[in-house]
Every structure is written in C-alpha cells, then in structure tokens.
Amino acid sequence: NYILQHIGARTLDHTSHYKSIFSGVKISEIEQCLSDNEINKILKECHDHIIRVWGVKDGEAGGTLKKFKKIKKGDSVIFIYDKGVIAVCDVLMTIEENSDFSMAIWNDSQYQNIYFLNNFTEINYFAEGESLLNKIKKILYYKSGTNFQNLIIIDPDHDRHALLDVEMDIIRGK
C-alpha cells in the first residue's frame, strides 16, 4: 500500500513533527515509552540508534485511527504538501494509543498513533503548474473543493490508482 501523509505547509521545517521524519529520534529518548519487544524490533533495523517517526491523531469519530490500523510493515509512506513531495519512507512498525510517546516526542498527547519508518529518502519533488495535491485528488476521484484528509491509504492493486502508481514511480526516480 501507499500511504499519503499530508504534512501541511512546506514551512513546517521548524516543528518537532517535521524534524521527527528528517532528523529522526534517538532511541534512548523514547525507550521508556516502548515495550522491550518494540525496542528490539526497532534496534534490529536501526543500526545508528536513530528512528524516524510520525504520529497521527485518532481523528473525528476515530476515522483516522480506523485508517491507521490498516497500515502494515513495508507500506510506503509519501510525505506530501500542497506543491510536492518531501520524503518517502517505508513502515517498520506501528503502535496505537501511546500518548506517553507522543508527549515525549511532540509535547502533545494527541499524536498517539505512531508509525516507525525506515529506508528514508528525501525527495524534494515539486509539481509545476497545478499542485501535486490537486493532481492526486483528481486521480483519487476527489471532487473539487473536497478537503484532503491528512492520512490516505491507497491500495496500488486497485484499478483506479494506476495513474498514481505512474506518478509515484516518477517521484521515486524509477
């Protein structure tokens, strides 16, 4: 699956959320918020003891949490903003409802559904003309003016997403 994670404006580079995907987080800063099993899974993949993470809220009526529960190891996360893509990563693992972790990293308990990321690639793909976000909305059959949700999970095997596969290949340089 592809996960489109909208991060808002490109100017987020000063926020702790933005830094948690670009700089990563020292495992020593988060180990008190994780089980031994979770720490061991991370350490198997992160030899420099730094992990990239992103957290999402439950969403209205738990809508985002329902989508979050569909995320699995190996899914590709595409961090997108209105005009382009800033990074692509793969999901290492997820944890749900860990407000202690959220407070430790983002000083906010609402981002308690966390995915841990590896194979980080900074992209800096900027769409010319129409925004990339609008192109993706059209590919996914969003109507004009529809609010783009912050977390969208896309099954690349579904026929209507074939164009998105092509766009993602271009972004990844394939």
Side-chain angles (χ1 to χ4, degrees), residues 1-98:
N1 291 334
Y2 291 121
I3 299 159
L4 295 181
Q5 179 64 63
H6 188 249
I7 63 162
R10 175 72 174 172
T11 56
L12 286 176
D13 59 346
H14 66 282
T15 69
S16 56
H17 258 85
Y18 191 93
K19 289 176 184 174
S20 72
I21 57 169
F22 274 90
S23 304
V25 175
K26 291 179 183 176
I27 294 171
S28 61
E29 294 175 10
I30 59 171
E31 61 188 354
Q32 74 278 3
C33 304
L34 300 170
S35 71
D36 289 342
N37 185 40
E38 291 165 338
I39 293 167
N40 288 334
K41 284 182 184 178
I42 294 168
L43 288 173
K44 283 182 184 176
E45 300 287 331
C46 301
H47 307 291
D48 60 358
H49 294 272
I50 299 220
I51 185 75
R52 288 171 165 77
V53 295
W54 190 262
V56 296
K57 299 177 182 180
D58 286 348
E60 190 174 315
T64 304
L65 178 58
K66 287 176 191 171
K67 288 186 240 173
F68 179 82
K69 289 181 179 201
K70 295 177 183 177
I71 298 172
K72 60 186 179 298
K73 182 178 180 174
D75 285 349
S76 292
V77 182
I78 300 127
F79 288 96
I80 185 170
Y81 71 108
D82 292 349
K83 282 289 194 180
V85 174
I86 61 165
V88 177
C89 307
D90 294 327
V91 174
L92 174 62
M93 66 180 223
T94 62
I95 56 173
E96 296 172 24
E97 300 178 359
N98 189 330

Side-chain angles (χ1 to χ4, degrees), residues 149-172:
Q149 299 170 4
N150 289 333
L151 175 65
I152 293 183
I153 298 176
I154 299 165
D155 178 356
D157 295 329
H158 195 281
D159 291 339
R160 75 179 193 180
H161 304 308
L163 290 174
L164 186 59
D165 281 339
V166 172
E167 188 77 26
M168 290 303 115
D169 284 347
I170 293 167
I171 289 168
R172 283 191 171 218

Side-chain angles (χ1 to χ4, degrees), residues 89-123:
C89 307
D90 294 327
V91 174
L92 174 62
M93 66 180 223
T94 62
I95 56 173
E96 296 172 24
E97 300 178 359
N98 189 330
S99 57
D100 291 339
F101 184 96
S102 182
M103 281 299 293
I105 300 304
W106 302 297
N107 202 27
D108 188 330
S109 63
Q110 295 182 75
Y111 300 96
Q112 62 184 357
N113 306 301
I114 297 111
Y115 39 101
F116 294 81
L117 307 161
N118 62 1
N119 302 323
F120 172 85
T121 305
E122 186 172 353
I123 299 291

